[in-house]
Amino acid sequence: MDSGRNNNYGRGRGSSSGGGRGNYQNQSNQGGRRGRAAHHQPPAQQQSVNRPPVQANQPPAQQAWGNRPPVQGNQPPAQQEWGYRPPFLRTMPQTPPPQVQQQQRPQGQSAPSPVQPLQACLTRAAAQDLRPGASIIFIESKGNQIQPIKRPDHGGTLAIKTVKLHVNHFPVKFDPKKTIIHYDVDVKPAPSTDRMLVKRTVRKSDLRVIRDKLFSDDPRFDILQTVYDGEKNIFSAVNLPTGEFQVNLADDEGAKSGSYIFTIKFVNELKLSKLKDYLRGSLSYIPRDILQVMDLVMKENPSRRRICVGRSFYSSEYMTAFDLNNGVAAYQGFQQRLKPTSQGLALCLDYSILTFRKPWPVIEFLKEHLERFGGVNDVKSRRRDVNNALKGLKVRVIHRHTKQKYTIAGLTEEDTRDCYYDLVDPEGNNPPQRISLVRYFQDKCNMDIMHQNVPCLELGKNNRSNKVPIEFCVLVEGQMYPKENLDKGRAWFLKDLTLAKPWVRKSTINEMVQAKDGPCGAVSRNFGIGVDVNMTNFVGRVIGAPELKLGGQNSVRVDVEKRQWNLLGKSFVDAKSVDRWALLDFTDGDRYNKLQANAFINNLRSRCRNLGIRMEAPLLHRVTRMYEFSSVNRLENLLQNVVEEATRLAQGKLQLIVCVMTKKDPGYKFLKWVSETRIGVVTQCCLSRLANKGQDQYLSNLCLKINVKLGGSNFELNGKLPHFDIGDHVMLIGAHVNHPGPMSALCPSIAAVVGTVNWPAANRYAARVAPQAHRSEKIINFGTMCSDLVNTYARLNRVKPKKIVVFRDGVSDGQFGMLLEEELLVLKKAIYDDHYQPPITLIVARKRHQTRLFIENRDDGGASGNVPPGTVVDTIIVHPFDFDFYLCSHYGGMGTSKLTHYYVLWDENRFNSDLLQKLIYDMCFTFARCTKPVSLVPPVYYAGLVAYRGRMFQEALMESTTGASPSNVSFDPSLYSMHSDLENIMFFV
C-alpha cells in the first residue's frame, strides 16, 4: 500500500542474483580496458585524506594498494601465500598489446559502426575526452570476452573524517604449489536379472550416501582428502583410483538399499598457481573453476555438521532463548563465500536466522503446535487439524536402525489395532500371511505398541502403503517453517533476532568462524587452505552530505548524525496545485475504522498548504465499501463513474483520486492496474486508522507522494551533480528484473527501466515496464525501452541527453559478461546513429552480498552503533583491480547496516573514484518519498518499485481473467502498458 511510510529499499519481491552450478571450466570475466583520462579535482569543500605516494620500485610490502599488516608471531611457511596483489599500474603495459592495437583508418574510410565489439572501439564522444597523447589500452582476455574496466586510481581521497572499521572478511592463505585433481562421477544401479528391481535413476539425495559408503569401506580412498559436489564432480588433494566400483547399501544407511556401480574418471588438474597469478595481476581472467572448487572445499566441514539450506548452514540445535514455541524455533546459521580482494583471497561470512520445526517426537510436536491439543488421545477427534499439521513433513522411525527419511502422507483410516497387511515370504516357499501391525511389532521388533486405539501415520508413496504407529515417528531436523505463518508476536520476536545489533552480529560471526562446525576443518587443511580467524581491520572514509534546496530557501542543511531533514516550516521546491481531485471512501459499514472525512480533508489540505501545495476541496466525495475490491470490473466501473462525474463538475480531467481503506486488501493490485493502465488517473491510498489520527508526519508523507505523482519536485540538490556541468544534459537510467516466486513455473519475469527526464535536477523519472521470459535476467527489450526514454527526454527538453549513466540491479559476477556483451551492445544499437553517440557508463548496484562493516570505536557511530552515513570503502576488501566500492548512504537505525556494492563495468564518462562516489551519495538524497538518504541509488530503487508494480499487474491479470491461457495473458506486453497520461510521470512512488 502506498501510504506514507518511509521504507528503505527492501527485497519483498522475487529478485534473483543469478548464478547456479558451474561446469568447472575456465571462464573469463575479469580482465579489461586500461588507460584513463586526467582525473577531475575533488570539490573544494571536501577534505582530503592523506595517502603516502606510491613509488614505482617499492617492494610489495610497502605498496599502498591493499597492503596487509605484517603477521605477528609465527610466520606462515614460505610456500603459503596471502595472495597479495601489488598495484596494477606497476605491471600494466604502457602501450596496447599488438593483437588489440587500434589501426589507423585509411583516408576516406568511414568510421567504425557504433555497434562493433566494444573492446575494439570507443564512441567518438568518449574519445574526445581523452587527454592529448593518452593511449587506449586493453588487456588480453580469454575467449575475446569483454571485461569490466579497471580502477582508474588507487581509490578515493575525499572525506570529512575517517573511521576505523572491522569487516567480516577473513584472509585466506593457500599453497600455490598445490594441485587439485578433478574427477567425473557416474552412479548407476548395478545390473540385475530382475528388471523390476532395477531403478533406472539414482536419487540425488542418495548420491552422497553412496559416495560416503565407498570411501569409508575402501582404504584406497581418504574422504578427508576429497570433496564432492553431490552430483557429477569429485575434487581431490591426492590421486584417486579410477574405474568402476560396486557399492552395496543396507537399508539402515540413509538411502535405498541395493547395489550400485560408482564410476570415477580423471578429468584434469587445477593448479592453484593460476589463482595466485590472477590476484597478482598477471592473469587477466578470473579462474572461476579454481574459485568454485576452493569454495566447495571451505563448505565441506559445515555441510557435514550443520543443516544445509541453499547456500546457508544452520546449527543442528537451537538456543533456549530462540524458542518460538508452537513447535518452532529460530536457528542460527551463516552464509560464506570466497572473494578475491585487494588483500588477497578472503572468506566472507555473515550471520543469518531461519525458523525450523523442532525435531521432536510427532506427538510432542502436536502438543505445542496445535492449540488445546491434549495428547495422543486427541488425534482422532482432531483428525483434520492433525492431518493439516503433519502432511508433507518428513520423519524418521525409531523402531529400527535406519537413517532413511519418510514423508507423511496423512493418517490411516483405521486405528492401529485394526491395521493388517500381507507378510510375503522372500524365498517364495510359503504363501503370503495376513498379520496385524501389533503382532508384527511384537514378533519382528520386540516392541509393544502403547497407543493402539489411534490411527497410524501413512508413510507410503506411489500408492504403496507403509503404516507406522505415530509413537515411533520423530520429525527430521532442518524442516523449515514459513515465517509468514507465525503470529504477530512471534513474527516481531523473529525480526528482532534477525536484525541483530552490530556488536551482537560481530561477536556471533567471530564465534562461527572459530567453531568446530565452521568453515575451517581437516578437509580444508588437507587442500593447503588456511584461514586467519581474525576480522580484517582497516580505515574507511566518510564523505560529506550535500546541501539541499527547498522552496523559498537557498539551502537546507541535514542532520549531522542521521543525515535527515525536517519539512516543518518549509515548502516543496516545485509544488503542483491540486485543483481537481476526488475522495473515494471505502470505509462505509465499518464502525471501528470509519473515516472522519471532513477532519481528514481539512488536515490534508492544511498540510499541503504548509508545503506550498494549493489544494482545493474535492470535486467529489464518494462513500462505498471494501467489497468493491473483490472484482476488477466493479473497481473499473466505480473509478470510471467517479472520473466522468468529476469531469462534468469541472473543466478538465481529474488529477488525483485519494482512496481511504479500512485495511490492506488483495484487491489493491486491481485498483492500481485499472487506474494506471485503463483510467489514466493516479491514486493515493491510505488507511483510515492513520488518516483519522491526522499526525503531521503521516500527512507530510502523503504530500510527498502526491506532489511527485502530479509531476512536481519535492527537493533538489543545491548545486550541480558532481562530475557534470549544467549543459551536459545527463540522463540517469535504472534497470531491474523482478522474478516470480519458486512455485510459479509459468509466470513471466517483469523488466522495468526508468530514466530521468529533467536536468540539472535529475529527480523526475519516466518508467517503462514489460513482461519477458520466465526467470530470464537479461532484459529482452532493453534497447527499445531505453530508446523510448531517450526520445521522451528529447521531446520534453528539446535536446537528446548528451551523456548517459546506467545503473543495473540484481546481477551476479557471472552475469557481467551478459551485461557488457548483450545489454550494453543492444542499448548502443538502439540509440546510436551517425550523429548521436553519447558516452555511456554502466554500473551494477548490489545489496545481495554478505559484507558487513563494524566500527571499532563506538564514538564513531551513532546511537545504533552502525557505521555513519556516507561511509565509503574502496581499498583492502574490494576487488584487486576492478572498479568497485562499498557505500553506506543511509542511517542504520535497526540491526546492522547493509552497504550497497557498486561495480563499474563500463565507463566512457571518465569518472574517478571520488567523483563517482560523491555523485551516487548525493543522488541518494533525492529520493522523492522520504526526507533522508536511502540505501540504494534512486534509479535502481525506482526501477525496483516499477518492476514490483508490474508484478502486481501480472497478478491482477491472472486473477481477473477467466477462460484464457495463463501464458498468453500474462506475457501480452500491451496489458502492462501505462495509460498515455501517466507514462512519463512518477505514478509508482
Side-chain angles (χ1 to χ4, degrees), residues 1 585-590 624-631 634-635 660-668 687:
M1 178 171 299
D585 180 0
F586 289 93
T587 68
D588 189 32
D590 192 320
T624 185
R625 293 173 178 259
M626 290 294 293
Y627 175 70
E628 300 290 345
F629 282 96
S630 63
S631 165
R634 294 179 66 90
L635 273 177
V660 184
M661 307 157 60
T662 61
K663 61 181 180 179
K664 295 181 180 180
D665 191 277
Y668 173 79
L687 295 176

Side-chain angles (χ1 to χ4, degrees), residues 945-959:
L945 294 177
V946 175
Y948 183 64
R949 183 61 56 85
R951 175 64 60 205
M952 292 171 55
F953 291 173
Q954 181 264 326
E955 292 174 356
L957 286 165
M958 296 304 299
E959 293 180 22

Side-chain angles (χ1 to χ4, degrees), residues 697-894:
Q697 182 63 52
Y698 181 76
L699 294 173
S700 295
N701 292 338
L702 291 180
C703 294
L704 286 169
K705 295 183 176 184
I706 289 172
N707 190 51
V708 172
K709 289 179 178 181
L710 297 181
S713 176
N714 296 337
F715 27 79
E716 300 173 358
L717 296 176
N718 190 22
K720 65 184 186 67
L721 286 171
H723 188 62
F724 297 117
D725 295 327
I726 298 296
D728 278 348
H729 277 281
V730 181
M731 186 175 197
L732 307 172
I733 292 176
H736 178 78
V737 179
N738 177 288
H739 297 296
M743 304 304 293
S744 302
L746 297 177
C747 291
S749 291
I750 307 296
V753 181
V754 302
T756 53
V757 292
N758 64 329
W759 182 259
N763 62 348
R764 290 195 291 112
Y765 290 77
R768 302 293 181 265
V769 60
Q772 61 180 40
H774 175 75
R775 302 204 71 80
S776 170
E777 186 57 48
K778 175 186 174 183
I779 300 179
I780 308 301
N781 298 319
F782 188 60
T784 302
M785 298 165 85
C786 288
S787 176
D788 193 12
L789 291 172
V790 167
N791 293 332
T792 298
Y793 186 102
R795 186 169 64 254
L796 297 176
N797 298 276
R798 299 184 180 180
V799 61
K800 284 188 175 182
K802 298 179 181 178
K803 298 179 179 181
I804 295 176
V805 181
V806 180
F807 293 91
R808 183 66 158 86
D809 184 28
V811 293
S812 64
D813 295 3
Q815 295 170 318
F816 286 174
M818 178 270 292
L819 295 186
L820 287 167
E821 298 173 10
E822 298 183 51
E823 287 191 1
L824 182 58
L825 191 61
V826 165
L827 171 60
K828 293 196 171 192
K829 276 184 178 181
I831 67 173
Y832 277 14
D833 57 37
D834 290 339
H835 306 288
Y836 180 67
Q837 296 182 24
I840 297 174
T841 297
L842 175 60
I843 304 169
V844 173
R846 298 189 297 188
K847 295 201 72 177
R848 289 199 168 189
H849 59 83
Q850 287 78 50
T851 298
R852 297 290 185 274
L853 295 182
F854 309 97
I855 53 176
E856 183 175 303
N857 303 315
R858 290 288 295 271
D859 294 339
D860 288 334
S864 66
N866 276 304
V867 295
T871 299
V872 64
V873 178
D874 57 7
T875 60
I876 306 295
I877 65 172
V878 294
H879 192 275
F881 35 81
D882 285 357
F883 191 4
D884 69 319
F885 60 91
Y886 294 91
L887 173 64
C888 179
S889 52
H890 68 294
Y891 174 78
M894 298 177 64

Side-chain angles (χ1 to χ4, degrees), residues 879-930:
H879 192 275
F881 35 81
D882 285 357
F883 191 4
D884 69 319
F885 60 91
Y886 294 91
L887 173 64
C888 179
S889 52
H890 68 294
Y891 174 78
M894 298 177 64
T896 305
S897 292
K898 191 169 187 180
L899 302 85
T900 301
H901 188 194
Y902 294 97
Y903 215 117
V904 186
L905 300 186
W906 194 255
D907 182 27
E908 296 169 350
N909 285 295
R910 300 305 189 215
F911 282 102
N912 64 21
S913 294
D914 279 328
L915 290 172
L916 181 58
Q917 293 160 11
K918 181 63 174 166
L919 170 71
I920 292 176
Y921 184 48
D922 287 2
M923 288 171 59
C924 290
F925 285 78
T926 65
F927 189 69
R929 66 183 194 186
C930 62

Side-chain angles (χ1 to χ4, degrees), residues 30-48:
Q30 298 297 331
R33 184 190 63 175
R34 298 184 180 179
R36 307 289 298 177
H39 298 230
H40 294 263
Q41 295 298 318
Q45 70 270 19
Q46 296 285 352
Q47 299 175 6
S48 178

Side-chain angles (χ1 to χ4, degrees), residues 310-462:
R311 300 177 183 177
S312 300
F313 305 96
Y314 293 90
S315 173
S316 57
E317 298 179 355
Y318 65 90
M319 298 172 61
T320 303
F322 286 19
D323 191 343
L324 300 176
N325 298 317
N326 201 34
V328 179
Y331 287 68
Q332 289 184 315
F334 62 82
Q335 286 183 307
Q336 65 179 60
R337 183 189 175 193
L338 288 178
K339 296 171 65 71
T341 67
S342 291
Q343 68 169 341
L345 196 63
L347 174 70
C348 178
L349 184 145
D350 191 27
Y351 155 91
S352 63
I353 289 283
L354 199 60
T355 50
F356 293 112
R357 293 175 173 86
K358 299 172 186 175
W360 281 0
V362 170
I363 292 298
E364 296 303 315
F365 171 78
L366 290 173
K367 284 181 181 179
E368 192 172 272
H369 186 73
L370 296 178
E371 292 184 6
R372 296 183 297 277
F373 184 84
V376 66
N377 293 328
D378 286 352
V379 171
K380 292 176 69 174
S381 61
R382 302 280 300 276
R383 172 182 288 271
R384 176 178 296 181
D385 293 336
V386 171
N387 256 321
N388 292 338
L390 296 181
K391 190 172 183 179
L393 299 186
K394 289 182 169 58
V395 295
R396 58 181 177 85
V397 296
I398 62 173
H399 62 277
R400 60 190 179 91
H401 296 290
T402 179
K403 298 178 182 178
Q404 195 165 353
K405 302 173 184 178
Y406 303 90
T407 302
I408 299 175
L411 295 174
T412 58
E413 292 296 329
E414 65 275 11
D415 290 344
T416 303
R417 64 162 60 96
D418 299 323
C419 288
Y420 287 81
Y421 70 99
D422 293 329
L423 183 63
V424 179
D425 181 4
E427 302 296 332
N429 297 325
N430 300 312
Q433 178 184 0
R434 190 72 172 171
I435 187 173
S436 71
L437 194 66
V438 174
R439 181 182 168 190
Y440 174 84
F441 271 82
Q442 290 173 342
D443 295 347
K444 299 294 183 180
C445 304
N446 195 26
M447 300 177 74
D448 291 325
I449 301 175
M450 301 297 297
H451 305 288
Q452 300 181 14
N453 60 338
V454 296
C456 290
L457 290 182
E458 179 62 76
L459 306 181
K461 60 180 182 179
N462 299 328

Side-chain angles (χ1 to χ4, degrees), residues 575-583 608 613-620 639 642-648 650-659 672 675-676 679-684 705-712 979 981-982 985-987:
K576 296 296 183 181
S577 298
V578 187
D579 301 319
R580 302 176 302 279
W581 69 286
L583 175 63
C608 284
I613 299 175
R614 183 173 59 84
M615 189 178 202
E616 300 292 343
L619 290 174
L620 190 65
L639 293 177
V642 168
V643 171
E644 291 174 357
E645 185 174 348
T647 302
R648 289 195 298 268
Q651 298 297 322
K653 188 176 181 180
L654 206 60
Q655 295 173 280
L656 169 73
I657 302 176
V658 176
C659 302
K672 291 299 181 180
S675 64
E676 293 168 358
I679 303 298
V681 177
V682 293
T683 55
Q684 179 58 54
K705 295 183 176 184
I706 289 172
N707 190 51
V708 172
K709 289 179 178 181
L710 297 181
H979 192 280
D981 292 343
L982 305 186
I985 65 173
M986 298 172 68
F987 62 90

